[in-house]
Amino acid sequence: MRLATSSTTSWLAAAALAALMATSGDLVAAQPAPDSENGRYSMTPIPEGVLRLDTRTGTVSTCTRNGAGWACYAVPDERTALDAEIGRLQAEVEKLKAQLAAGPTVSGKIDESMPKSDPLKKAEPKVAEGDRKIEIPLPSDQDVDRVMSFLEKAWRRLIDMANRVQKDVSGKI
């Protein structure tokens, strides 16, 4: 977006817009004529109509011609929307901090005491301190043989695959 910087261009554009707005009687009452003497508005033509910058407030508007004449609508300001969202989030944070500072809220029946132990937890065996032993079950000979057989087959397959790759590579060279 390029704004006109020449005061003559701005003045001519403002005068043309004022003349057009004066000829459409409905719009003149709704929106005052631009103050072109002090260079308040800067106009830039765009395909849809005219882009108007208010140099005093910084608001940008698009002015287009419709059936009733010319109408200018403010371009949404992203900064205003962001500031509003930041304000909303800050208020929500303050509210949550106040709730947290007020202390925990307990809901439900609190007359009965909570159970002293977890009903799903297995009870530990009653053993004297000196008699504690950790027993780890060892695999049987059959389990060891199955693991060794699996490892032997995997090793053989790996070696066979390496030999095939070596033959493929040497055949292509």
Side-chain angles (χ1 to χ4, degrees), residues 22-76:
T23 58
S24 63
D26 297 338
L27 197 55
V28 173
Q31 186 174 3
D35 180 13
S36 60
E37 287 183 19
N38 297 330
R40 177 173 180 176
Y41 296 104
S42 175
M43 306 289 189
T44 302
I46 58 173
E48 297 85 26
V50 177
L51 190 66
R52 179 182 73 177
L53 169 68
D54 187 342
T55 57
R56 290 187 190 164
T57 63
T59 58
V60 177
S61 303
T62 56
C63 301
T64 57
R65 180 183 287 238
N66 57 21
W70 282 87
C72 295
Y73 298 100
V75 175

Side-chain angles (χ1 to χ4, degrees), residues 2-166:
R2 188 180 142 253
L3 298 176
T5 55
S6 170
S7 62
T8 306
T9 305
S10 298
W11 185 83
L12 288 174
L17 184 60
L20 286 172
M21 291 173 75
T23 58
S24 63
D26 297 338
L27 197 55
V28 173
Q31 186 174 3
D35 180 13
S36 60
E37 287 183 19
N38 297 330
R40 177 173 180 176
Y41 296 104
S42 175
M43 306 289 189
T44 302
I46 58 173
E48 297 85 26
V50 177
L51 190 66
R52 179 182 73 177
L53 169 68
D54 187 342
T55 57
R56 290 187 190 164
T57 63
T59 58
V60 177
S61 303
T62 56
C63 301
T64 57
R65 180 183 287 238
N66 57 21
W70 282 87
C72 295
Y73 298 100
V75 175
D77 187 11
E78 290 180 12
R79 181 66 188 182
T80 304
L82 290 175
D83 287 342
E85 181 66 11
I86 289 170
R88 186 190 68 77
L89 291 173
Q90 286 174 339
E92 185 176 344
V93 166
E94 292 302 321
K95 177 183 165 188
L96 292 173
K97 282 182 181 180
Q99 286 178 354
L100 186 60
T105 57
V106 179
S107 62
K109 188 175 181 181
I110 59 172
D111 294 340
E112 296 178 17
S113 63
M114 296 295 291
K116 301 293 184 203
S117 64
D118 187 4
L120 300 176
K121 186 177 177 184
K122 293 182 179 179
E124 293 184 18
K126 305 285 184 190
V127 179
E129 290 292 326
D131 294 339
R132 286 192 175 173
K133 294 181 183 177
I134 299 176
E135 293 185 24
I136 300 174
L138 295 176
S140 67
D141 288 338
Q142 185 182 6
D143 292 337
V144 172
D145 289 341
R146 284 180 34 209
V147 169
M148 290 303 292
S149 174
F150 171 77
L151 289 175
E152 286 175 7
K153 287 179 185 177
W155 182 254
R156 284 187 192 130
R157 287 181 182 173
L158 181 64
I159 296 298
D160 290 342
M161 184 177 66
N163 288 335
R164 282 193 306 260
V165 169
Q166 188 176 11

